[in-house]
C-alpha cells in the first residue's frame, strides 16, 4: 500500500491511481474543479481503491442534495465490498450513516476519525462541513484547532486546516483570532476559498463593509471561475453592497456571479440566491423575474425532505415569486418531513416548519405572527444549520415584520441588538434610525 499526499496509508499499490486520488484531495480542499472525475480516474486504474470510493461518497453527501444520494450509496456499497484499511472502512460507515438520515452520527464518526488521524483532511473537512450543516459552532472551531497541533506550518494542507479553524473561531465570536488565522491561510494559498470566506464572515459579523469589499476584491483567485465555492464568496460581496444600500451592485453581482446561469442545478447556489433576493425583498427592491427563475429551479427539490434548511429557502423563493400553489406544496412536504424519526425530521419539527410558516405570515401581511414565530425559535435556531450570516435572514425578517406590524417593543429590541452587534454596519444604522434608537 502507498501513502497519499498527507501521509495517510491508502489501499492501493497503483501509482497512477494514487496520482489521481492526490489530485482529488487538492481539488477538494480548494473547492476547485471536479474532484469526482479525478476519483473516477483513480478507480479506473484500481477498482479496489477503497479510499477513492470513500472520498467519492463523502463529496456527494456534502452537497446536501438528495439528487446525489443514489450515487453516494453506490460508492458506499462499492467501497465496502472492496475491503480497504480500517480508516477507509470507518469513512464509508460514516457516509452510510449520514446518507441514511443519521446525520449527527455520521458527522460524529468523521470527527472521531479525524481526531485519531489529524492528517486525514477528508475526514476533517467532512466533519467540518457536517458541523456547519448542524449549526455546531464549537465543533467547527475545536476540531481543526486540534488538527493544527499535529499539522505544521510547512506541511501539506496546513492552509486548509487553518482556514477551517478561522471559520470556526468566527462562528464562536473570536473575531480577532479568526482574522489572524484566515489571513494567514489565504496568504499561504490564495486559491483557498474557504479561508477567504472565513475572513469575509468576520467583516460581515462586525459590519465592516468597506474592509469586506476590499478583502474579497483583493482575493480574486478564490472567486475565480472553476472554484466551486466562488458563488458563495460573491454572495458575501453582494451582502456588503446591500448593507451599504447599493441595491444595484448587489443585483449586478447576483446576475454576473451568483446566478450567471439561471438554470444551474446546484442547491447550495440556490440557497444563496434565495437569501439575497429575500433581503432585497425586505427592502422593497424590485428584483424583476429573478425570483420566478429561481423558483422554477427549486421545483425539482420540492418534495426532497432531505434538509430543512433547503426547504425553507425553497419556500422563500416560491413566496418571492408569488407561486402560492408551490408554497403550499412545499409546506405540505415539510410537514411530512417533520413526522419522520430522523435528524432532519427533528430539525423540520422544531425549526424548519415554524420558520417556513413565519415567512408565509410575513408575505401575507400577518406581521405579528411572523415576528412571534421567528422570535420563538431564535434561541435554538443554530440547530437549523448554516452560519450566523446565513441565519441573519431570520432576524432581519423579524425586525422588518415588527416595524410593519407596529410592534414597537420588538422593533426597538431587535434594532438595538443589531446596532450593538454591528456598530459599523450602514444597514444596522438605517434600521436603528427607523426604530428611533440611535
Amino acid at each position: 500500500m502507498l501513502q497519499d499526499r498527507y501521509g495517510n496509508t491508502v489501499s492501493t499499490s497503483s501509482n497512477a491511481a494514487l496520482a489521481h486520488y492526490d489530485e482529488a484531495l487538492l481539488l477538494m480542499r480548494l473547492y476547485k474543479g471536479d474532484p469526482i472525475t479525478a476519483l473516477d480516474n483513480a478507480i479506473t486504474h484500481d477498482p479496489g481503491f477503497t479510499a477513492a470510493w470513500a472520498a467519492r461518497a463523502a463529496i456527494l453527501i456534502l452537497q446536501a442534495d438528495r439528487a446525489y444520494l443514489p450515487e453516494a450509496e453506490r460508492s458506499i456499497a462499492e467501497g465496502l465490498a472492496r475491503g480497504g484499511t480500517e480508516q477507509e472502512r470507518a469513512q464509508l460507515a460514516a457516509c452510510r450513516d449520514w446518507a441514511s438520515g443519521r446525520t449527527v452520527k455520521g458527522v460524529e464518526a468523521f470527527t472521531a476519525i479525524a481526531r485519531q488521524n489529524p492528517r486525514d483532511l477528508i475526514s476533517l473537512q467532512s466533519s467540518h462541513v457536517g458541523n456547519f450543516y448542524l449549526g455546531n459552532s464549537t465543533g467547527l472551531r475545536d476540531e481543526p484547532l486540534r488538527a493544527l497541533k499535529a499539522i505544521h506550518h510547512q506541511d501539506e494542507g496546513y492552509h486548509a486546516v487553518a482556514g477551517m479553524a478561522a471559520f470556526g473561531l468566527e462562528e464562536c465570536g473570536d473575531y480577532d483570532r479568526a482574522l489572524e488565522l484566515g489571513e494567514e491561510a489565504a496568504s499561504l494559498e490564495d486559491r483557498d476559498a474557504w479561508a477567504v470566506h472565513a475572513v469575509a464572515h468576520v467583516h460581515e459579523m462586525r459590519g465592516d463593509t468597506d474592509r469586506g469589499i476590499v478583502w474579497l476584491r483583493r482575493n480574486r483567485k478564490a472567486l475565480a471561475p472553476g472554484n466551486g465555492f466562488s458563488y458563495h464568496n460573491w454572495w458575501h460581496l453582494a451582502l456588503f453592497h446591500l448593507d451599504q444600500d447599493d441595491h444595484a451592485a448587489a443585483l449586478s453581482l447576483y446576475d454576473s456571479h451568483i446566478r450567471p446561469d439561471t438554470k444551474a442545478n446546484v442547491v447550495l447556489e440556490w440557497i444563496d440566491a434565495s437569501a439575497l433576493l429575500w433581503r432585497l425583498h425586505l427592502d422593497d427592491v424590485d428584483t424583476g423575474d429573478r425570483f420566478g427563475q429561481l423558483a422554477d429551479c427549486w421545483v425539482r427539490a420540492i418534495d426532497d425532505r432531505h434538509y430543512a434548511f433547503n426547504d425553507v429557502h425553497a419556500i422563500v423563493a416560491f413566496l418571492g415569486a408569488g407561486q402560492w400553489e408551490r408554497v403550499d406544496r412545499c409546506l405540505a412536504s415539510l410537514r411530512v418531513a417533520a413526522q419522520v424519526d430522523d435528524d432532519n425530521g427533528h430539525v423540520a419539527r422544531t425549526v424548519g416548519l415554524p420558520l417556513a410558516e413565519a415567512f408565509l405570515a410575513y408575505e401575507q401581511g400577518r406581521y405579528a405572527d411572523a415576528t412571534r414565530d421567528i422570535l420563538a425559535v431564535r434561541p435554538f435556531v443554530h440547530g437549523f444549520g448554516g452560519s450566523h450570516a446565513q441565519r441573519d435572514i431570520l432576524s432581519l425578517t423579524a425586525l422588518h415584520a415588527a416595524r410593519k406590524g407596529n410592534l414597537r417593543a420588538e422593533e426597538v429590541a431587535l434594532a438595538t441588538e443589531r446596532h450593538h452587534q454591528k456598530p459599523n454596519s450602514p444597514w444596522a444604522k438605517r434600521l436603528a434610525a427607523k426604530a428611533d434608537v440611535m
Side-chain angles (χ1 to χ4, degrees), residues 240-278:
F240 290 131
H241 284 293
L242 180 56
D243 198 319
Q244 294 186 340
D245 212 22
D246 191 346
H247 301 142
L251 282 171
S252 176
L253 289 170
Y254 179 95
D255 293 336
S256 61
H257 294 291
I258 299 168
R259 288 287 289 163
D261 178 1
T262 59
K263 298 186 185 302
N265 194 22
V266 182
V267 164
L268 294 174
E269 183 183 297
W270 301 347
I271 289 171
D272 283 352
S274 292
L276 180 60
L277 290 180
W278 186 263

Side-chain angles (χ1 to χ4, degrees), residues 61 142 218 279:
I61 289 168
D142 294 345
R218 194 171 70 214
R279 284 168 168 81

Side-chain angles (χ1 to χ4, degrees), residues 123-182:
S123 293
L124 180 63
Q125 189 172 11
S126 299
S127 165
H128 191 66
V129 175
N131 279 317
F132 168 75
Y133 289 147
L134 295 173
N136 180 5
S137 298
T138 55
L140 283 168
R141 176 194 63 193
D142 294 345
E143 302 314 320
L145 284 177
R146 287 190 181 99
L148 282 178
K149 296 294 184 182
I151 299 176
H152 305 295
H153 190 275
Q154 69 274 15
D155 288 346
E156 174 87 15
Y158 169 87
H159 71 89
V161 182
M164 285 186 268
F167 181 59
L169 287 161
E170 176 274 320
E171 287 296 287
C172 289
D174 191 347
Y175 299 139
D176 290 341
R177 181 65 174 136
L179 200 63
E180 178 185 346
L181 263 183

Side-chain angles (χ1 to χ4, degrees), residues 104-344:
V104 173
K105 186 176 180 181
V107 174
E108 288 176 345
F110 272 121
T111 299
I113 299 166
R115 286 180 182 175
Q116 291 295 320
N117 309 276
R119 292 177 181 271
D120 178 357
L121 263 64
I122 290 180
S123 293
L124 180 63
Q125 189 172 11
S126 299
S127 165
H128 191 66
V129 175
N131 279 317
F132 168 75
Y133 289 147
L134 295 173
N136 180 5
S137 298
T138 55
L140 283 168
R141 176 194 63 193
D142 294 345
E143 302 314 320
L145 284 177
R146 287 190 181 99
L148 282 178
K149 296 294 184 182
I151 299 176
H152 305 295
H153 190 275
Q154 69 274 15
D155 288 346
E156 174 87 15
Y158 169 87
H159 71 89
V161 182
M164 285 186 268
F167 181 59
L169 287 161
E170 176 274 320
E171 287 296 287
C172 289
D174 191 347
Y175 299 139
D176 290 341
R177 181 65 174 136
L179 200 63
E180 178 185 346
L181 263 183
E183 289 178 343
E184 178 192 16
S187 71
L188 292 170
E189 173 54 82
D190 59 6
R191 298 172 296 173
D192 188 335
W194 193 263
V196 168
H197 133 274
V199 174
H201 269 268
V202 171
H203 296 316
E204 167 67 26
M205 296 310 295
R206 285 176 161 170
D208 291 334
T209 58
D210 288 335
R211 292 183 66 187
I213 290 170
V214 169
W215 170 255
L216 289 173
R217 292 285 185 190
R218 194 171 70 214
N219 285 278
R220 296 304 288 263
K221 285 188 179 179
L223 285 78
N227 188 299
F229 200 61
S230 65
Y231 67 89
H232 187 68
N233 279 324
W234 286 110
W235 177 78
H236 275 284
L237 184 58
L239 288 191
F240 290 131
H241 284 293
L242 180 56
D243 198 319
Q244 294 186 340
D245 212 22
D246 191 346
H247 301 142
L251 282 171
S252 176
L253 289 170
Y254 179 95
D255 293 336
S256 61
H257 294 291
I258 299 168
R259 288 287 289 163
D261 178 1
T262 59
K263 298 186 185 302
N265 194 22
V266 182
V267 164
L268 294 174
E269 183 183 297
W270 301 347
I271 289 171
D272 283 352
S274 292
L276 180 60
L277 290 180
W278 186 263
R279 284 168 168 81
L280 288 159
H281 180 59
L282 292 175
D283 261 5
D284 299 318
V285 176
D286 182 2
T287 57
D289 62 351
R290 294 175 182 84
F291 265 125
Q293 293 172 341
L294 180 61
D296 289 343
C297 290
W298 271 116
V299 171
R300 73 98 167 146
I302 202 170
D303 294 313
D304 277 2
R305 297 187 283 278
H306 181 61
Y307 184 33
F309 193 82
N310 294 356
D311 298 331
V312 172
H313 283 83
I315 285 173
V316 162
F318 297 140
L319 286 170
Q323 298 178 359
W324 296 101
E325 183 178 348
R326 287 173 173 175
V327 170
D328 291 343
R329 182 179 161 192
C330 198
L331 270 171
S333 180
L334 192 52
R335 291 187 183 107
V336 172
Q339 298 172 17
V340 178
D341 185 22
D342 62 8
D343 293 339
N344 182 62

